[in-house]
Amino acid sequence: MKKVLTTCPYCGTGCMFYLVVDDDGTLVGVEPSNEHVVAKGQLCVKGWNAYHFVNHPDRLTQPMIRRNGKMEPASWDEALNLVVSKFKETQAKHGNDSVAFFSSAKTTNEENYLMMKLARAVFKTNNVDHCARLCHSSTVLGLAATFGSGAMTNSISCMEQADCILVTGSNTTEQHPLIGSRIIENVTNNGAKLIVADNRKIRLARLADIHVRWKNGTDVAFLNGIMNVIISEGLEDKEFIKTRTENYEELKKIIADYPPERAAEICGITPKEIVDVARMFAAADKAMIVYSMGITQHTHGVDNVKSCANLAMLTGNIGLPGTGVNPLRGQNNVQGACDMGALNGVFSGYQKVVDPTTREKFEKAWSVENLPAEPGLTITTAIDAAAEGKLKALYIMGENPMMSDPDQNHVREAMEKLEFIVVQDIFPTPTSEYADVILPAASYAEKNGTFTSTERRVQPVRKAIEPVGQSRTDWEILCDVAQRAGYDGMKYNSASEIMDEVATVTPIYGGVSYERIDQVGLQWPCLDKDHPGTPVLHSGKFARGLGMFSPAAYLPSKELPDEQYPFVLSTGRCYFHFHTGTMTRRSQMLDREERFPYVEISIEDAKELGIYDRAWIYVATRRGEVKVMAHVTDVAKKGVLFMPFHFEEGPANLLTINALDPIAKIPEYKVCAAKIRSAE
Ligand SMILES: Nc1nc2c(c(=O)[nH]1)N[C@H]1C(S)=C(S)[C@@H](COP(=O)(O)OP(=O)(O)OC[C@H]3O[C@@H](n4cnc5c(=O)[nH]c(N)nc54)[C@H](O)[C@@H]3O)O[C@H]1N2
Ligand SMILES: Nc1nc2c(c(=O)[nH]1)N[C@H]1C(S)=C(S)[C@@H](COP(=O)(O)OP(=O)(O)OC[C@H]3O[C@@H](n4cnc5c(=O)[nH]c(N)nc54)[C@H](O)[C@@H]3O)O[C@H]1N2
Ligand code: SF4
Ligand SMILES: [Mo]
C-alpha cells in the first residue's frame, strides 16, 4: 500500500489526508493525518469517503463532439482543434467579448491561474469568473471596501481562542464540520459564549447561549440594532475607533435609525433579544464573527457583509487572535480561485484590470499586448447575456450552472441560445447535456497542484493514481488550448512551474513554492521566500490603511411572501451531499444517507396543512414547481421552508429567483416566496 498526503476536494476547511493506493495502483481508501493543523487526525464523513467517486464507472474518459445532434467519441486533436476554431470564429464574427470562460473552485490554483490567463492573454476578454460569484462575491467586495482585503481575517485555530462567537448564516457543523468541532470544543471546554443567529435550529443553536430566529433577509436591521445598543450604552471601543478607523460619524448617523424596538420589529423578534446579543458580544474580551451563505446570498449581500465588518470594528475585534470577521469559504479551492484572478475584474492577487500599470505588468510578464481593460461578465451576467443572445460561446471548466445557477428555466434558455458550449468535467452533468464538446478532466487524485483553504492556507494536492481513461489534467488541457490558439507563453513541465510564475506576478503569493508548502502549507500574504505567512490579517493596520465604517440601511428582499405564495423558501445544503451532487451522489456511503430531494418544514405548518413526515409534496414558486419529500422538523421555523440544491430530480434552482445584489451580482438564493401542496 502507498499513502499519498493530499488535500480534501470537498469544503474550504482544507483538511489534509492520505489517499491509500494498493499495489496495482487502485485507490482504496482515505486515512486522516494526525500532523495536519486543521484535521488533527479527524475527518468528516465526506472526507472519509473522498475516494469512492474517483473510480466511479460514470467518469468521463474520452473527449466527445456533437455531430448531427449526437455526442460521439472523438480524439483529443479533433476536440481541441474544434474548440479553438469555434472560439476564434465566434470572436471574428461577434467581437472578443462574445465568448466567456467559467473557471472552477474545484480545480487547483495553477489551473485557475491558467484559465484566467487563457481568457485574458490568449482570447483577450475579461469574461472569466467562477462559482465564488454565487457564494462569497459579497464578501470579496464588502470586506475589500471596509478592510482592504476580502478574505477571512483570522485562522481556524482562532475559533478555540475566542471568548464569544457570533455564528450567523453558517450551518458550521454540517458545512464546515471540522470548524464546527472547534467551536463546540471552545464552548464546552472553555465556556466561550456562543450566539447563533439563524432561523433554523441548527446543531450549534442547540448549544448556544442565545439563539435568534429572525426573519430571513433582515440581517442589516439586526446588526444595526446591535450596534445601536452598543453605541447608546457606551460599549464601543473608543480607542480602536479613533486610531484605526474612519467614517465613524456616518455610521452613527445611520445606526441612530435602528433603536432595538424598530430593528426588532423588522426582524420579527423582541427588542430584548437584540439588547442581549449586543451586551454579550460587546462584553467579550475577544469576540469573533463567523458567517457564510446566510449573510452573502442576498440582493443586499454586500450590505450584510459590511455590517458584520462595522460591528467588528465598533468593538475593536480585528487584528488579534480569537477575533475577526470570518467568512467561511465554501469550496475546497474557492479562496484560491479568487486569489488567482478567476474573477471578471482582477488578475491574480486582486490586481485590478482597470489599472493601466497592472495591465502593463501582466503584458510584460506574459509577452502579450493590449490586455482588455474593462471588467468582463460574471457567471450571473454571462447567463443573462447568453439568454439575450449577446454571448455566443462558453467554456465551462468544473462548474454545473444548470444545477447551481438561480432560475433553471432561465439558465436552460441561455444554454439553448449559446452557439457553442465546451464542458470540461470529471462526470456528465445536466450542463454537459448542452455541450458541443466534452473534455474529460483528471480528478484531484490524479494530479499535482495546490488548493487554498478558507484560512488562506495554500496546501498541496498530490497525484496518487494515473488519470482514468484518456482524461487529462485541467492544466494540461488549458495549455494545449493556448498553444493551438497560437500562444507560446503557456508551456510548463509541471504544476510547480506554474506556481513559480504565479509567485512572480502575485505579491500575496510571492513567497509560495512547492518546497515550502510541503507538509502544512502557508497562509498568505506571504510576500517573499523568507516571509513566514500571515495567520491574522490587519494587525496594527488595515490592508487599506484605516478601516472604513460602511453603514447600510435595511432593504427588504426582492420577493417576499404574500397571499398566493405564503412561505419563505430558503435554499442551501446538507451534511452528506455536496452541491450539485456530481461527486457525493456517486459515493454509495453518502448517497444512502440522503437519497431523495427534500424540503424542511416546521411541525406547526405541517400540522396545519396535514402533511406528515416523509410525505411527497409539491413546492412551487413563480418560476416553477418541484416534487420533494417533506422533512417535518423543529429545525425549521414556522413559515420558512428550507431546501438543499443537491438533487437533479428535484432541483431547488427551478424555484429560486434570478435577483442579484447590484454590486456583487450574487443571486438571492436565501429568500423567495413559495407555496406547497400535497402530492399524494
Ligand atoms: N456538506 C456540504 N458542505 C459544504 C457544501 C455542500 O454543498 N455540502 N458546500 C460548501 C460551500 S461552496 C459553501 S459556500 C458552504 C456554505 O455553508 P453554509 O453557508 O453554512 O450553508 P447553507 O446551507 O447555504 O446556509 C447556512 C445557513 O444560513 C441560514 N440562513 C438562511 N437565510 C438566512 C438569512 O437571511 N440570514 C442569516 N443570518 N442566515 C440565513 C440557513 O438557515 C442555513 O442554516 O458550505 C461548504 N460546505
Ligand atoms: N439554490 C442554491 N443554489 C446555489 C447555492 C445555494 O445555497 N442555493 N449555493 C451556491 C454556491 S455557494 C456555490 S459555491 C455554487 C456551486 O456551484 P457549482 O460549482 O456549479 O457546483 P459543483 O457541484 O460544485 O460543480 C463543480 C463541478 O466540477 C466538477 N469537478 C470536480 N472536480 C473537478 C476537476 O478536478 N476538474 C474539473 N474540470 N471538474 C471537476 C464536478 O463534477 C462538478 O460538475 O452553487 C451555488 N448555487
Ligand atoms: S471538513 Fe471539509 S475539508 Fe475536512 S474532511 Fe470534511 S469536507 Fe473535507
Ligand atoms: Mo459556495
Side-chain angles (χ1 to χ4, degrees):
M1 296 275 185
K2 181 174 81 166
K3 292 202 310 184
V4 180
L5 183 64
T6 189
T7 303
C8 181
Y10 283 117
C11 90
T13 303
C15 301
M16 287 184 73
F17 56 55
Y18 293 95
L19 281 175
V20 184
V21 183
D22 76 6
D23 288 340
D24 47 344
T26 313
L27 199 53
V28 291
V30 161
E31 249 181 47
S33 154
N34 289 327
E35 292 74 39
H36 187 248
V37 285
V38 175
K40 293 188 179 166
Q42 296 179 319
L43 293 171
C44 83
V45 70
K46 290 177 295 302
W48 275 110
N49 288 287
Y51 66 102
H52 279 138
F53 72 85
V54 174
N55 297 322
H56 196 280
D58 288 353
R59 277 288 300 275
L60 295 170
T61 54
Q62 108 173 91
M64 311 273 273
I65 289 179
R66 189 175 299 279
R67 293 188 178 106
N68 305 317
K70 256 185 65 203
M71 288 314 274
E72 289 176 358
S75 69
W76 273 107
D77 267 341
E78 283 173 298
L80 294 180
N81 286 340
L82 183 63
V83 170
V84 170
S85 63
K86 282 283 184 186
F87 266 64
K88 292 216 147 171
E89 214 177 276
T90 306
Q91 287 191 314
K93 246 205 239 157
H94 305 285
N96 286 354
D97 293 332
S98 61
V99 308
F101 297 80
F102 288 180
S103 200
S104 171
K106 282 255 140 313
T107 66
T108 63
N109 283 320
E110 293 72 6
E111 290 159 346
N112 278 285
Y113 175 79
L114 292 187
M115 187 55 137
M116 77 101 187
K117 185 170 173 183
L118 181 72
R120 296 191 161 117
V122 184
F123 289 97
K124 299 282 166 66
T125 177
N126 283 321
N127 290 348
V128 57
D129 204 32
H130 74 283
C131 71
R133 185 66 49 197
L134 314 173
C135 183
H136 271 294
S137 54
S138 338
T139 296
V140 172
L141 293 163
L143 294 189
T146 44
F147 299 162
S149 167
M152 179 162 161
T153 63
N154 286 55
S155 295
I156 295 170
S157 61
C158 288
M159 308 276 165
E160 294 163 311
Q161 298 164 38
D163 302 311
C164 176
I165 307 177
L166 166 61
V167 176
T168 177
S170 154
N171 185 4
T172 327
T173 59
E174 294 198 46
Q175 268 56 79
H176 296 86
L178 291 199
I179 297 180
S181 310
R182 292 294 162 77
I183 295 175
I184 293 175
E185 277 162 22
N186 192 5
V187 172
T188 49
N189 299 347
N190 311 328
K193 298 280 183 227
L194 178 62
I195 304 166
V196 171
D198 192 314
N199 68 25
R200 292 168 74 218
K201 201 188 271 183
I202 53 173
R203 190 155 161 234
L204 282 182
R206 295 170 198 268
L207 196 78
D209 294 277
I210 305 178
H211 176 206
V212 195
R213 304 181 86 175
W214 73 92
K215 289 188 203 153
N216 299 62
T218 59
D219 295 81
V220 167
F222 177 69
L223 292 161
N224 283 356
I226 295 174
M227 289 188 269
N228 181 292
V229 175
I230 290 175
I231 294 172
S232 64
E233 298 193 359
L235 304 174
E236 73 276 20
D237 186 334
K238 297 179 185 70
E239 182 60 25
F240 189 91
I241 295 167
K242 201 169 101 196
T243 56
R244 300 279 317 265
T245 69
E246 58 186 316
N247 212 28
Y248 181 54
E249 288 311 313
E250 193 59 29
L251 178 85
K252 266 184 24 193
K253 218 161 51 195
I254 294 200
I255 295 302
D257 289 341
Y258 296 85
E261 296 70 26
R262 175 163 182 253
E265 196 187 326
I266 297 172
C267 300
I269 54 175
T270 62
K272 181 174 181 303
E273 288 176 275
I274 291 185
V275 174
D276 288 349
V277 171
R279 289 181 185 157
M280 186 176 281
F281 192 84
D285 187 22
K286 287 173 286 182
M288 149 183 289
I289 302 171
V290 173
Y291 75 79
S292 199
M293 297 301 98
I295 286 293
T296 58
Q297 290 174 334
H298 295 276
T299 44
H300 46 266
V302 174
D303 289 346
N304 284 351
V305 170
K306 286 178 173 171
S307 302
C308 290
N310 292 340
L311 174 61
M313 289 191 287
L314 183 68
T315 51
N317 279 302
I318 283 285
L320 297 167
T323 69
V325 177
N326 296 289
L328 302 182
R329 305 302 301 260
Q331 292 262 33
N332 54 323
N333 195 37
V334 68
Q335 182 63 59
C338 291
D339 299 345
M340 292 302 110
L343 293 169
N344 68 326
V346 289
F347 295 101
S348 56
Y350 307 95
Q351 302 172 85
K352 294 195 166 76
V353 296
V354 290
D355 176 24
T357 29
T358 300
R359 285 201 307 278
E360 217 173 280
K361 166 177 146 176
F362 278 90
E363 281 163 359
K364 225 160 130 200
W366 293 344
S367 310
V368 292
E369 284 169 357
N370 302 325
L371 284 174
E374 287 300 310
L377 293 169
T378 65
I379 285 202
T380 41
T381 56
I383 296 290
D384 292 347
E388 286 163 23
K390 289 183 195 147
L391 185 75
K392 303 290 185 188
L394 181 56
Y395 192 132
I396 305 173
M397 168 173 83
E399 292 260 330
N400 190 4
M402 271 301 289
M403 287 281 295
S404 58
D405 277 28
D407 191 356
Q408 193 178 65
N409 284 326
H410 173 63
V411 185
R412 180 172 296 116
E413 189 193 348
M415 292 291 158
E416 281 168 356
K417 283 234 176 102
L418 281 162
E419 287 168 10
F420 188 69
I421 300 175
V422 183
V423 170
Q424 181 169 314
D425 205 298
I426 61 175
F427 285 117
T429 64
T431 304
S432 69
E433 281 168 29
Y434 292 88
D436 296 286
V437 175
I438 294 180
L439 304 173
S443 77
Y444 84 107
E446 297 150 7
K447 63 188 171 192
N448 292 316
T450 55
F451 294 154
T452 303
S453 77
T454 185
E455 60 171 359
R456 298 170 276 100
R457 188 181 293 278
V458 189
Q459 307 189 114
V461 175
R462 293 200 179 90
K463 178 173 170 175
I465 57 168
E466 289 303 319
V468 301
Q470 294 179 37
S471 71
R472 297 171 70 190
T473 63
D474 292 290
W475 70 264
E476 286 170 309
I477 301 171
L478 297 175
C479 289
D480 204 338
V481 171
Q483 272 155 52
R484 282 168 206 260
Y487 178 58
D488 248 3
M490 261 168 70
K491 287 184 184 155
Y492 309 89
N493 295 310
S494 65
S496 144
E497 279 184 20
I498 307 168
M499 182 51 80
D500 293 341
E501 178 177 319
V502 170
T504 60
V505 292
T506 316
I508 55 176
Y509 276 64
V512 175
S513 68
Y514 278 28
E515 267 163 25
R516 289 192 67 195
I517 59 162
D518 191 43
Q519 292 294 320
V520 293
L522 254 180
Q523 287 175 281
W524 69 256
C526 175
L527 302 179
D528 56 54
K529 68 181 194 341
D530 302 314
H531 192 289
T534 314
V536 178
L537 298 181
H538 316 299
S539 290
K541 191 172 173 238
F542 281 97
R544 72 178 289 281
L546 290 174
M548 176 72 146
F549 278 112
S550 307
Y554 162 74
L555 291 170
S557 309
K558 189 80 182 179
E559 189 187 62
L560 291 170
D562 53 22
E563 255 170 44
Q564 213 188 346
Y565 293 91
F567 286 93
V568 168
L569 173 69
S570 185
T571 62
R573 10 180 94 64
C574 75
Y575 179 50
F576 297 101
H577 285 299
F578 205 88
H579 291 166
T580 67
T582 61
M583 292 147 74
T584 49
R585 296 200 75 197
R586 289 187 174 89
S587 297
Q588 64 268 37
M589 300 295 281
L590 298 172
D591 199 42
R592 74 171 187 205
E593 297 289 338
E594 209 65 82
R595 292 180 49 207
F596 303 107
Y598 68 88
V599 63
E600 283 179 5
I601 175 167
S602 74
I603 297 168
E604 298 92 313
D605 286 324
K607 257 195 195 148
E608 225 165 81
L609 295 164
I611 290 168
Y612 54 91
D613 193 29
R614 311 278 143 174
W616 287 94
I617 62 171
Y618 287 107
V619 179
T621 65
R622 289 185 175 85
R623 271 73 55 198
E625 183 173 67
V626 300
K627 189 176 166 185
V628 292
M629 193 182 258
H631 281 195
V632 178
T633 164
D634 72 341
V635 172
K637 192 184 157 193
K638 186 168 167 26
V640 186
L641 306 170
F642 176 83
M643 197 188 220
F645 72 107
H646 310 305
F647 303 91
E648 203 176 316
E649 63 279 32
N653 279 322
L654 194 68
L655 305 176
T656 48
I657 184 169
N658 182 31
L660 306 180
D661 179 290
I663 308 167
K665 308 291 180 199
I666 193 170
E668 191 140 68
Y669 290 124
K670 290 293 185 260
V671 182
C672 69
K675 62 181 177 188
I676 52 180
R677 66 184 172 97
S678 170
E680 293 182 349

